[in-house]
Each structure stands twice: as structure tokens, then as C-alpha cells.
Amino acid sequence: MSVNTDTTRPSENPADLDRTDPEGEIAARAAAYRNWGRWGEDDVLGTLNFIDADKRVAAASLVREGVVVSLAQAFDTDGPQTGWRRRTNPVHTMTDTGTDAERGTQGFPHGIGGADDVIAMPLQCSTQWDGLGHIFDHGMAWNGRRAGDVVTSDGDLVTGIEHTRTSFVTRGVLLDVAAHLRPDTGELEDGYAISAVDLEATIAAQGESSRVGRGDIVVVRTGRYARTRREGWNGYAGGSAAGLSLTTAGWLHRTEIAGIATDTWGFEVRPNEFDVPSFQPLHQVVIPNMGLSIGEMWNLEELAETCHRLGRFDFFLAAPTLPITGAVGSPVNPVAVL
């Protein structure tokens, strides 16, 4: 395997997409931005390899006020999931309670009592990372492996999420695209395709602290989650939303970012940008071909308020996955420290 060196690059203008040809548009970007072999044939981390010790040391210097912001949505039954593909909201059950302790039914000595609980949930029901085994391209997984050799009924045997348990610690950058493009509402309209031009314009407007480079994790605010807090879920999971255009694949590749997350269910624009059936084409390019980690359903509201107040948009980010052996995704409580 080797890194693709073809200098031909697809257009980064959403208007140039052939909306009748998702196969062709996806294939062109997969070929142009494929990172197979870049970090060796045995690689399981993809673009997380861009984060090194020096990057983390530099990121730690961004902690100045000691302000800590959680970027997680809630994990409870009042969540966004609708049952599609058996994705349900978390079910939290108490197995021991204070009532049991009061009644003396727990069987403990000398008056001690306790409470225990259990939770059952899909790993991608709320704030989460997509693993590299989550999406395939024509039966191929990250780094040119056959999908069936990677993920079986026993789980992801190669790129399981447990391999990333120490990876997601680096410099984070908020790009509040919604505030830049829609200063009156701070929310992008559903179906708005965020372009590379939009991303660069947001960086320019926000200033030097928003520069994006190797090993960063970028978080993009569309304002979609803000609307759910005001109006209810209303199709948040799987419905229409602003998001990244397929044409941003080149920007995601050349910036050498380690990961990207948004405040939406699907990361990319929905409906997708084609007039014929398509489903999450940008996922198909960036996960199995580029090796880029994607975060979804992040709560960026308090972070945006804090960044605008402080006048800076970079921060120390810790968003480690749970080391669930063989999983293709993980719930996460990302924490920004400023």
C-alpha cells in the first residue's frame, strides 16, 4: 500500500458538484485524498497520528483561566434517537436503591447500604466518536483492508475503538461558522452546505487563535443543537441539518487535522448534495479512505459563549474514548479547558 500521489484535485466549490453522480464525485475524492499506507500497513489510528507529544505540550499552554467546559449532550431517555437502525436512547436502571437500604434488604452488615445502576445504550446514541471501523467504501475499510476481515460479529478485530483510548488529547479549535455567516440568528439553515471557503472565512473573522493545523481537532458549530434546546428534537437524528459539504474533503486532508466534530447528528450536510439516492458521502471519503475521526452530536453552545467572551477560539481538548474492545464508536464527554 502507498499514499496516493495524484496531483489532480476535485473542485472545492459545491456548485461544481455533479448532483447526478454521487459514485463519481465520491470516487474522485477517495482517490485524491486517500491516506492508505501513510503510517504503515499495520496502522489503526489514521489521522490521529498527527498528534504527538510536542503537540500536547503546546496544547496544555492554552490553559490560562482554568475554565472547564463540557461539550457533551445528555445521556438519558430524553435523547434524539428514534430507533433507526436500532439506535435507541439510553435506558438507565437502578439495581440497588436507597429504598432497599432503608428496608434493610441488601444484606450488608452494620447498617451500611448502597446504590448501583446499569445503563444500556447504543454507543452512538449521543455525543460520540465514530471509529475507523464504522464506515466502509465498496467493501474496503481503513488502510485498504477488506471490511469483512476488520469487523465481524465479534466486533472490530483490527481498528477497535480501544486503540484510541489515549489519542484524543490535543489542541482544539472552535469554528463558529453559524455565528460568522448568520450573525443575526447564530444558526445555519437546514441543508446549508458548509464549504472550504466558509471555513477559511470563519478562521479569518475569528482571528489568529482560530488557525487550523496539523494535529488539531476542529469543532464546527452550525447552531443545529441550539435549535433543539429551544424547539425540541424535531428530526435532529437523521433529519435535515447544515453540515460540511462533500467538497470540503480537500480542506480536511491538506490541513492535516487529527479529527473534526460538529453539533449535528451526521456531521455533513443533510439532505446530502445529490439529486439521486445517496447517503453520507463525506463519511465514505474521510473515514475509510482518509482515516479521519469524526465526532457527532457535540454540545458547542457553552463553548461558543466562552470563546466569544474570552476572544479566543483555541483550547486544550481532552475527549478520550471508552476502551470498549472491538467497538466501532464510543460515547464521550469531551472537555475543553481554557
Side-chain angles (χ1 to χ4, degrees):
M1 293 180 293
S2 61
V3 180
N4 183 281
T5 58
D6 182 6
T7 57
T8 303
R9 292 292 183 259
S11 172
E12 295 189 12
N13 183 350
D16 292 336
L17 278 177
D18 182 348
R19 297 177 64 92
T20 68
D21 185 21
E23 281 273 356
E25 295 287 359
I26 293 167
R29 288 164 177 82
Y33 308 124
R34 184 170 290 140
N35 282 328
W36 292 357
R38 184 169 184 169
W39 297 284
E41 292 188 2
D42 297 329
D43 180 67
V44 296
L45 296 179
T47 57
L48 291 173
N49 284 289
F50 287 133
I51 305 173
D52 58 19
D54 289 342
K55 184 70 182 184
R56 292 193 173 103
V57 170
S61 70
L62 298 172
V63 180
R64 299 168 193 165
E65 285 80 14
V67 175
V68 181
V69 181
S70 169
L71 313 184
Q73 296 185 23
F75 287 81
D76 57 35
T77 55
D78 183 24
Q81 300 303 327
T82 61
W84 176 80
R85 296 193 70 192
R86 295 178 291 282
R87 289 186 182 177
T88 60
N89 294 310
V91 178
H92 178 214
T93 304
M94 299 306 302
T95 55
D96 259 330
T97 69
T99 303
D100 298 326
E102 283 186 13
R103 301 296 186 270
T105 60
Q106 294 180 320
F108 296 126
H110 51 72
I112 188 173
D116 272 344
D117 48 4
V118 64
I119 190 166
M121 66 180 189
L123 298 183
Q124 296 179 340
C125 66
S126 189
T127 305
Q128 55 96 21
W129 284 113
D130 283 345
L132 294 184
H134 178 52
I135 297 292
F136 311 120
D137 181 11
H138 290 83
M140 302 301 289
W142 161 242
N143 224 21
R145 304 178 178 102
R146 289 167 56 94
D149 293 337
V150 175
V151 182
T152 73
S153 58
D154 290 323
D156 186 334
L157 308 179
V158 180
T159 51
I161 207 73
E162 71 273 14
H163 295 292
T164 67
R165 60 189 178 275
T166 62
S167 298
F168 291 97
V169 180
T170 188
R171 175 178 181 256
V173 181
L174 170 69
L175 298 185
D176 194 348
V177 179
H180 173 61
L181 295 183
R182 304 291 184 268
D184 52 338
T185 64
E187 299 173 19
L188 297 176
E189 61 272 19
D190 288 345
Y192 183 85
I194 298 170
S195 67
V197 169
D198 293 331
L199 296 172
E200 289 294 342
T202 301
I203 292 169
Q206 291 183 174
E208 177 62 20
S209 66
S210 299
R211 60 177 178 78
V212 171
R214 176 178 288 196
D216 291 335
I217 290 177
V218 176
V219 291
V220 177
R221 181 180 173 275
T222 70
R224 182 65 177 88
Y225 181 61
R227 198 168 89 226
T228 71
R229 301 206 303 187
R230 185 176 65 251
E231 301 177 358
W233 294 114
N234 290 337
Y236 179 84
S240 299
L244 270 69
S245 168
L246 176 62
T247 60
T248 60
W251 186 91
L252 296 170
H253 185 263
R254 69 172 172 273
T255 53
E256 297 188 333
I257 59 174
I260 187 166
T262 70
D263 56 354
T264 68
W265 172 88
F267 160 70
E268 56 190 283
V269 63
R270 293 183 56 80
N272 301 136
E273 297 164 278
F274 296 97
D275 297 331
V276 296
S278 63
F279 183 73
Q280 303 301 78
L282 188 55
H283 276 66
Q284 189 174 340
V285 172
V286 301
I287 293 180
N289 290 289
M290 199 182 300
L292 180 68
S293 292
I294 293 175
E296 294 164 329
M297 292 180 282
W298 289 33
N299 175 4
L300 304 180
E301 295 310 291
E302 183 180 356
L303 176 64
E305 293 169 6
T306 302
C307 286
H308 284 288
R309 174 172 58 82
L310 296 177
R312 61 187 179 96
F313 295 86
D314 57 352
F315 43 87
F316 179 80
L317 178 67
T321 52
L322 298 179
I324 305 167
T325 303
V328 297
S330 173
V332 63
N333 175 26
V335 173
V337 190
L338 298 93

